[in-house]
Amino acid sequence: MIYPDIFISLQIALHIILSCILSFAVAQNPVDAYAPTVNVNCPETPDLLVRTFTLQNQVLNTSETEYIGSRESYVISTAWSNWLGNASNIGYNFENLEGKFPRIGIAIGGEGYRTAQYGAAVLSGLDWRNTTAREKGTGGLLQVASYLSASSGGSWLLGSLLMNDWPSIKELVYGNGGDLSSWMLNLDLIVPSSASVSNSDNQEYWGSILASVGSKANNGLPISVTDLWGRMISYHFLNETTQDNFYTSQTSHGAGQLWSQMSLLPSFQNHTIPFPIVTADSQPAGSGIPTTVSLNSTVYEITPFEFGSWDPGLAAMLPLKFAGTYLTNGLPANQSACITGFDQASFVMGTSSSFFNAVLNVTDGNFGFDTSDGDEGGMNFIFNQLLSHTPSNIMNAANWPNPFKGINPMTFQDSSADQLQLLDGGSNLEKTPLSSLLVKARGLDVVVVIDGSADDQNYWPNGTSLLTTFERISSVLSSSHQPMPPIPGTAAQFVSTGVNMRPTFFGCNLTQGQPTYPIIIYLPNAPPLDGSAPATNTGDTQFSYTSMFTAVFINQAFWNTLGGFKPNTTSSDPHWGQCLQCAAIDRAVTLRSDFCSQCFTQYCYNPNNPPSESELPGRQFIFVDPDPGGLQKLERWLRDNKGALAGYIVAVIVLIAGIVGFM
């Protein structure tokens, strides 16, 4: 038992220790690699910093163009051959398809651990490297994709795949016994050791995070709760962290891993991976960060090469290497005023999932999480430690020095601001980052939407993300982006037609005389086909999953990805893999095969003859915990009581020894 006066003394001592950690100390620590480098020489040619474009000259970054060209020429053509074979299974001749393969993008969005796991399961089901997926016909779509966009929890999955050099999902999530230690989702994101704020391991964990964020502040860069958040994410999704070193500062825990250095990884240099894009929303500087974000607010994207926005109001990009640099009209204050190292991978993932405008009360510094596992108390504690050692910044957004100050003052919302206030990529309700894949210059033919949103009361998607994209394209981006295909007009119609609970193809039939839109392959999170109890519809703020829970979650979503659906049954569709191939290749054919026509009759959304949710009988929608307290509570109890448990064991041994001696 810890008596109150001792506990207070410990808290005071801890406060002193944390003060030292965040002071301007010269002692180096591996986690200090989080600090950007300041006073860097800028490019001698000013136009190498900010590039602007108009609707008439919208062009991609040269490096992106070269990457896509090389991937499509040397990698994707072979991947199509692997996936389709001679294409006779879907009624085509592969030789007639060569040279005109559709350009495909995949978008992963949603919130938190749920989306990271759901996206991982779906990608595994689309991955040629997964033997089961390959045999079912779905495995191979990932390899023929040119782009992969992500936001919020989806960015955690994307960053983890990229910064670990594109391993299989099985290795990434569960570890490989070597350099990959698993995601360790059994360790809570905020309070990994115990629900107790005074737990010594929690204090070590928070102290390391505060030290890394403090190193950034010491170099004069603005920080916020997003920095803390990103560093927490890195412990699970980047490399260098294991169960053994989790509570130490012996490793950088992902600090120093830069998004702009992704291009140095072998998988990137070999063009193995689809071109990655992470998105984030924003709120105009000085707006007070309301909980809702308008569709007019600028949406930013982050690639390995650039940071900026395709929105017509800004239409400008900065080399990602120099993110963090203050520029005015594209120019630095002086030739040595540039900054590098700001684009920490953890900060990029933290920015895309920075939802604190909705849960942080900046007045009292308290968080409002819908959880009872100590996360709220833990976040309150570490955040208030940060507040006591940093200058006043906007704390409930991701603070990015504005490199676009002075650009397009008539249309850009933050043309006069010194800082950009970036938010979770789903803050405007476009939770799946589809818009970045609809940029006209990218010219996509097919977009796969992996929707892990929690829109209704049971945490299932109801089409809100697609509806938001449709509205934003129509009202804000019609001049700069491709149009959306026809979709149900409301969330209620998504539900009544059942397309929110099964794979659906939108835009199968182009209308003559209308603008060309891509086919959208919609893969929403849904209950198991066979009527089993669902485990994938968890809340946004569930910050830990037992190993058993994760295994059940990913297994359910994986088999849904492989299953398609058979109308009016609880069975999977044995032809779903081939139907998916039909949708992926359709824009390359002039005459649809009989087999693919049958597939499209089943899977295409026809606004003139919409399907019905009654075609999906026997589904269970209420979440059932696959590991109801047992393993989760045992793991936490063992962590909380390991000292007492050891004492009990010793006492029992002594007692037994005494009894034996007496006898």
Side-chain angles (χ1 to χ4, degrees):
M1 176 178 180
I2 299 178
Y3 293 98
D5 55 340
I6 299 177
F7 180 75
I8 293 172
S9 298
L10 287 173
Q11 290 289 79
I12 294 173
L14 174 64
H15 184 82
I16 295 172
I17 291 171
L18 291 174
S19 298
C20 294
I21 288 174
L22 288 175
S23 67
F24 291 84
V26 296
Q28 289 299 304
N29 186 319
V31 297
D32 289 348
Y34 186 72
T37 302
V38 298
N39 300 322
V40 175
N41 287 332
C42 301
E44 294 184 3
T45 306
D47 60 6
L48 294 179
L49 282 174
V50 173
R51 72 178 183 97
T52 59
F53 40 86
T54 65
L55 301 177
Q56 290 71 36
N57 70 349
Q58 186 190 69
V59 294
L60 300 178
N61 176 274
T62 302
S63 296
E64 178 181 338
T65 301
E66 293 173 351
Y67 185 89
I68 294 297
S70 296
R71 176 166 167 76
E72 292 180 344
S73 297
Y74 304 117
V75 177
I76 287 182
S77 57
T78 301
W80 275 109
S81 177
N82 290 338
W83 191 28
L84 300 184
N86 61 15
S88 61
N89 284 344
I90 57 174
Y92 298 122
N93 183 332
F94 186 79
E95 292 182 357
N96 296 332
L97 303 174
E98 290 187 278
K100 46 185 179 180
F101 298 122
R103 179 172 290 178
I104 298 176
I106 300 175
I108 309 171
E111 304 94 349
Y113 275 166
R114 181 190 63 254
T115 302
Q117 292 175 100
Y118 178 66
V122 175
L123 288 188
S124 185
L126 304 179
D127 192 341
W128 175 259
R129 296 172 296 177
N130 186 300
T131 304
T132 303
R134 185 166 69 243
E135 291 173 349
K136 291 289 186 179
T138 57
L141 177 55
L142 177 60
Q143 277 67 32
V144 301
S146 297
Y147 285 93
L148 183 55
S149 69
S151 69
S152 196
S155 74
W156 303 358
L157 165 63
L158 179 58
S160 192
L161 278 167
L162 298 174
M163 304 310 291
N164 286 288
D165 205 23
W166 204 248
S168 70
I169 293 297
K170 181 179 179 181
E171 291 179 302
L172 187 70
V173 176
Y174 302 112
N176 61 5
D179 57 331
L180 293 174
S181 61
S182 85
W183 277 354
M184 299 181 288
L185 302 188
N186 60 305
L187 300 179
D188 191 276
L189 189 64
I190 300 172
V191 286
S193 180
S194 161
S196 170
V197 170
S198 60
N199 177 274
S200 60
D201 283 340
N202 282 343
Q203 296 289 351
E204 291 286 348
Y205 172 64
W206 296 331
S208 179
I209 289 171
L210 286 164
S212 59
V213 176
S215 69
K216 178 178 178 179
N218 291 344
N219 280 4
L221 277 300
I223 60 174
S224 74
V225 65
T226 303
D227 292 273
L228 301 176
W229 183 243
R231 294 297 295 132
M232 292 174 178
I233 294 166
S234 70
Y235 277 63
H236 297 270
F237 292 97
L238 300 182
N239 46 51
E240 299 182 338
T241 304
T242 67
Q243 296 273 358
D244 293 334
N245 69 20
F246 198 93
Y247 301 106
T248 74
S249 294
Q250 297 171 355
T251 174
S252 65
H253 298 291
Q257 297 179 31
L258 306 181
W259 207 260
S260 59
Q261 292 182 351
M262 187 185 302
S263 59
L264 303 178
L265 294 170
S267 59
F268 196 94
Q269 293 183 335
N270 296 333
H271 307 98
T272 301
I273 62 179
F275 188 79
I277 303 169
V278 167
T279 65
D281 290 347
S282 70
Q283 190 66 30
S287 62
I289 314 291
T291 56
T292 58
V293 175
S294 73
L295 295 182
N296 292 324
S297 289
T298 307
V299 174
Y300 292 87
E301 71 172 37
I302 306 164
T303 77
F305 303 123
E306 289 188 310
F307 164 70
S309 179
W310 295 96
D311 287 13
L314 175 54
M317 295 285 175
L318 170 84
L320 183 61
K321 175 183 178 180
F322 295 107
T325 302
Y326 291 95
L327 301 174
T328 301
N329 296 318
L331 299 175
N334 57 68
Q335 192 58 32
S336 61
C338 280
I339 290 172
T340 59
F342 185 86
D343 58 308
Q344 298 279 327
S346 61
F347 187 59
V348 170
M349 295 187 291
T351 294
S352 185
S353 58
S354 183
F355 69 124
F356 299 101
N357 60 307
V359 298
L360 172 59
N361 186 328
V362 292
T363 303
D364 59 17
N366 289 325
F367 293 78
F369 292 142
D370 183 19
T371 174
S372 59
D373 292 331
D375 296 302
E376 187 173 305
M379 205 68 194
N380 289 342
F381 178 83
I382 188 173
F383 177 67
N384 282 289
Q385 288 296 323
L386 181 72
L387 279 181
S388 65
H389 298 284
T390 58
S392 177
N393 292 313
I394 298 298
M395 279 295 173
N396 52 359
N399 295 315
W400 287 61
N402 187 5
F404 306 118
K405 186 175 183 179
I407 303 294
N408 295 334
M410 299 300 294
T411 57
F412 175 41
Q413 65 184 28
D414 286 319
S415 183
S416 61
D418 291 324
Q419 292 184 28
L420 303 175
Q421 298 170 7
L422 271 55
L423 306 172
D424 185 294
S427 297
N428 64 0
L429 299 183
E430 188 185 15
K431 297 180 181 179
T432 304
L434 182 54
S435 293
S436 284
L437 299 180
L438 297 179
V439 171
K440 286 183 178 179
R442 291 191 166 126
L444 268 70
D445 302 295
V446 182
V447 178
V448 181
V449 175
I450 301 175
D451 189 355
S453 305
D455 298 325
D456 68 16
Q457 61 182 0
N458 291 318
Y459 300 119
W460 298 112
N462 63 12
T464 294
S465 180
L466 282 185
L467 289 165
T468 303
T469 302
F470 193 99
E471 183 179 355
R472 193 164 188 271
I473 291 288
S474 301
S475 61
V476 181
L477 307 176
S478 60
S479 58
S480 55
H481 291 60
Q482 293 186 77
M484 286 274 288
I487 61 174
T490 65
Q493 291 175 4
F494 263 86
V495 174
S496 66
T497 57
V499 298
N500 68 317
M501 285 290 145
R502 62 172 180 84
T504 302
F505 306 153
F506 296 107
C508 297
N509 300 306
L510 290 171
T511 303
Q512 188 173 7
Q514 295 295 318
T516 301
Y517 44 71
I519 288 180
I520 291 179
I521 300 173
Y522 185 53
L523 302 177
N525 185 20
L529 296 169
D530 62 4
S532 301
T536 62
N537 54 324
T538 53
D540 297 347
T541 55
Q542 180 164 336
F543 297 131
S544 68
Y545 288 75
T546 65
S547 300
M548 180 187 296
F549 198 151
T550 292
V552 172
F553 186 118
I554 289 182
N555 189 60
Q556 281 191 5
F558 174 77
W559 284 105
N560 263 14
T561 304
L562 270 56
F565 83 105
K566 288 183 69 175
N568 304 308
T569 73
T570 57
S571 302
S572 60
D573 178 4
H575 302 298
W576 161 240
Q578 287 70 43
C579 289
L580 185 63
Q581 294 172 3
C582 287
I585 199 66
D586 190 67
R587 287 292 193 260
V589 303
T590 54
L591 182 63
R592 194 172 288 159
S593 70
D594 290 341
F595 177 84
C596 288
S597 294
Q598 294 176 12
C599 287
F600 277 38
T601 298
Q602 178 172 331
Y603 287 100
C604 285
Y605 171 74
N606 182 351
N608 298 319
N609 184 26
S612 170
E613 62 179 328
S614 64
E615 297 175 9
L616 306 170
R619 300 287 188 95
Q620 291 191 46
F621 299 99
I622 305 300
F623 169 78
V624 177
D625 191 337
D627 187 15
L631 184 57
Q632 179 89 43
K633 290 181 179 178
L634 177 60
E635 288 176 346
R636 177 151 287 185
W637 187 88
L638 288 173
R639 289 198 302 268
D640 290 355
N641 298 277
K642 54 190 176 184
L645 182 62
Y648 296 150
I649 293 173
V650 170
V652 170
I653 292 173
V654 170
L655 177 61
I656 293 173
I659 293 173
V660 171
F662 174 78
M663 294 176 62

